[in-house]
Amino acid sequence: QVQLVESGGGLVQAGDSLRLSCAVSGRTFTTYTMGWFRQAPGKEREFVTSISRSGGSTYYAGSVRGRFTISRDKDKNTVTLQMNSLKPEDTAVYYCAAAPRTLSVAVSRGEYDYWGQGTQVTVSS
């Protein structure tokens, strides 16, 4: 069983930066494509970014491209989301997820089998 635990959320002002981390349990970390999703109040959960098993490929939603950076550390079994130039519209609960069947990046929710509990990010104007 894979467990994902997010951390690093909080309340920041517009323009600030925040770094989210996702700790992944188990010895098969390098066999999962990893991703971040977010869900704002009253909205569906949406894709933010994904990174391939090797870390060699990444993909970003248009709304965060150029501001957010995803990375992974196979020695620490962690995935990090660096968020810069935050905007109020980035306010949401952010979820880390693992996709065991995808070889490259994964965009759709259905490709992810394992999810963290989420961490709240609030950006004030």
Side-chain angles (χ1 to χ4, degrees), residues 36-48 89-95 109 115 117-121:
W36 287 94
F37 287 72
R38 67 186 182 185
Q39 188 167 17
K43 295 187 177 181
E44 293 189 356
R45 192 171 301 187
E46 66 174 4
F47 171 80
V48 176
E89 51 263 44
D90 294 319
T91 295
V93 176
Y94 283 71
Y95 297 90
R109 289 177 57 182
W115 295 81
Q117 82 288 351
T119 185
Q120 177 70 46
V121 172

Side-chain angles (χ1 to χ4, degrees), residues 2-85:
V2 178
Q3 290 188 327
L4 291 76
V5 180
E6 302 99 334
S7 61
L11 171 63
V12 298
Q13 293 186 334
D16 285 351
S17 298
L18 204 59
R19 176 175 291 187
L20 305 183
S21 292
C22 174
V24 184
S25 66
R27 295 174 291 180
T28 57
F29 176 67
T30 55
T31 66
Y32 299 125
T33 286
M34 300 298 299
W36 287 94
F37 287 72
R38 67 186 182 185
Q39 188 167 17
K43 295 187 177 181
E44 293 189 356
R45 192 171 301 187
E46 66 174 4
F47 171 80
V48 176
T49 180
S50 177
I51 188 167
S52 62
R53 297 179 180 185
S54 68
S57 297
T58 58
Y59 187 77
Y60 298 90
S63 59
V64 306
R65 190 171 295 128
R67 299 188 297 122
F68 290 12
T69 302
I70 188 173
S71 60
R72 64 190 298 163
D73 186 329
K74 63 180 179 61
D75 295 324
K76 298 181 179 179
N77 278 20
T78 58
V79 179
T80 298
L81 181 62
Q82 177 67 42
M83 305 185 294
N84 298 328
S85 302

